Amino acid sequence: MNTRLASLSVSFSRRLALALKRSASLMHQSSESIDHAHQRFRQNVIVMRHGDRIDNAEPLWVTTAVRPWDPPLTEAGKVRAFCTGRELRDKLGFRIHRVFVSPFLRCIQTASQVVSALCAVQDDPTNMNSEKVAINPSKLKVSIEYGLCEIIGKAAIRPALAPKDGDFGFNIPELEEMLPTGTVDHSVERVYQQLPKWEESVTDARFRYENVIRALADKFPTENLLLVTHGEGVGVSISSFLENTAVYEIEYCAYSHSQRLISFNPNQTFTAGSFEVFTKNSESGIRYCPMNTLAPDV
């Protein structure tokens, strides 16, 4: 995969200097998890699956869809996404500074609802979606990242539904307009500059998900991140950082929580500790078990 590290060509020290400058306005507003005396930061990464997709609720939807490979959310999916965003805001105990999202429509719509809940100025508990919610867009920034996309292969997309020319036709400016006004950060360079080619294997997709989680965390070492992606990506966020673990169920809007310690050095470099997975089995809609407990044919 020749695009795996395409956007990581900027020198390590320069990346850190840019990240520190970019996040300065955010970090002075909130000192959670920061040890100023020792220049350390406990970085949190949330990896979340999209909400309920319409083709699973209405099987005939694909028969008339212009883009059958890119289903939107159901109305219930939007409600679930908004309420999950509210849960993240109220229960995490730390602030989300930056959101990255897959270009697939169901993820864009999920991110829009979640971001609105995270940025809500006043949250009326009767609101079940973002329609009447006033937001403060300065609370966080959002960017679209190709590396968080669905598996581009038959493991996730039926070949009969995939575009015949291999062009999934994502119009990034149009997708960005679907995100809450004022939240999009156009200056962020993507880790993956293009989508994987059809047909991507599950193994390659898992490598991609792990790589993009690490790369985005390294790119913004002073910020807590929320990554809105697909089920396999959420599974990787558990299995890659929790030894000998198999993830076997991921509900809509399920999310994992991992944390690592960032230590900053005087020469504008940093040292990152290993990710520690805080999500317990069956928590937030994710179920996993030790690899050696699975049946041989699983």
Side-chain angles (χ1 to χ4, degrees):
M1 299 179 74
N2 58 10
T3 61
R4 286 173 182 167
L5 301 176
S7 70
L8 301 181
S9 59
V10 182
S11 69
F12 186 74
S13 60
R14 184 182 174 196
R15 289 205 315 271
L16 177 59
L18 290 172
L20 291 170
K21 181 179 179 180
R22 186 186 296 113
S23 60
S25 62
L26 290 171
M27 299 307 294
H28 86 275
Q29 300 174 31
S30 176
S31 60
E32 76 274 53
S33 304
I34 306 171
D35 181 345
H36 293 284
H38 299 92
Q39 291 300 299
R40 294 184 300 187
F41 174 64
R42 293 196 177 276
Q43 183 185 39
N44 297 279
V45 177
I46 306 296
V47 184
M48 177 181 173
R49 189 186 180 192
H50 58 77
D52 313 48
R53 49 190 288 176
I54 197 169
D55 54 339
N56 282 349
E58 301 177 23
L60 294 180
W61 175 85
V62 299
T63 62
T64 58
V66 176
R67 294 168 55 84
W69 60 84
D70 192 19
L73 296 182
T74 63
E75 289 305 312
K78 293 178 182 178
V79 170
R80 190 196 298 262
F82 183 82
C83 291
T84 303
R86 175 185 281 150
E87 177 180 318
L88 291 172
R89 185 196 66 213
D90 294 343
K91 294 184 178 180
L92 284 180
F94 55 84
R95 176 179 170 186
I96 297 294
H97 301 101
R98 193 170 292 272
V99 178
F100 291 93
V101 55
S102 159
F104 278 79
L105 180 57
R106 56 191 178 275
C107 290
I108 297 291
Q109 291 178 326
T110 298
S112 180
Q113 295 292 327
V114 172
V115 168
S116 293
L118 291 173
C119 295
V121 176
Q122 291 182 333
D123 187 14
D124 183 339
T126 64
N127 288 331
M128 290 291 104
N129 59 46
S130 64
E131 289 181 5
K132 299 179 181 179
V133 176
I135 69 165
N136 176 358
S138 68
K139 288 188 175 183
L140 55 76
K141 292 302 174 187
V142 189
S143 300
I144 295 173
E145 170 56 56
Y146 286 137
L148 293 171
C149 73
E150 181 65 278
I151 300 174
I152 305 298
K154 63 184 179 183
I157 303 170
R158 282 182 282 168
L161 300 182
K164 304 307 179 187
D165 59 0
D167 182 3
F168 282 78
F170 292 117
N171 186 318
I172 298 302
E174 287 186 3
L175 294 174
E176 289 176 337
E177 288 181 2
M178 298 179 188
L179 297 166
T181 302
T183 63
V184 176
D185 187 347
H186 299 281
S187 69
V188 175
E189 186 178 7
R190 296 186 187 95
V191 175
Y192 285 77
Q193 296 296 307
Q194 58 188 24
L195 292 176
K197 302 298 183 183
W198 185 278
E199 176 179 1
E200 181 184 33
S201 70
V202 173
T203 299
D204 282 347
R206 287 174 177 170
F207 177 91
R208 166 170 59 83
Y209 287 129
E210 181 178 354
N211 180 62
V212 77
I213 292 169
R214 293 186 184 275
L216 290 171
D218 285 348
K219 198 169 187 177
F220 298 93
T222 62
E223 298 183 30
N224 297 320
L225 308 182
L226 167 63
L227 314 183
V228 181
T229 183
H230 304 264
E232 193 68 37
V234 178
V236 167
S237 72
I238 297 286
S239 60
S240 290
F241 307 125
L242 203 57
E243 188 176 356
N244 189 38
T245 297
V247 180
Y248 60 88
E249 185 176 355
I250 302 164
E251 298 176 4
Y252 288 129
C253 287
Y255 59 88
S256 67
H257 173 204
S258 298
Q259 185 186 92
R260 64 178 185 170
L261 180 64
I262 305 290
S263 299
F264 300 100
N265 306 315
N267 61 349
Q268 290 194 329
T269 62
F270 68 87
T271 303
S274 299
F275 277 107
E276 179 182 358
V277 176
F278 283 9
T279 304
K280 305 302 181 184
N281 182 34
S282 299
E283 186 179 19
S284 84
I286 302 174
R287 293 170 180 80
Y288 60 84
C289 63
M291 189 78 71
N292 56 18
T293 64
L294 292 176
D297 60 343
V298 174

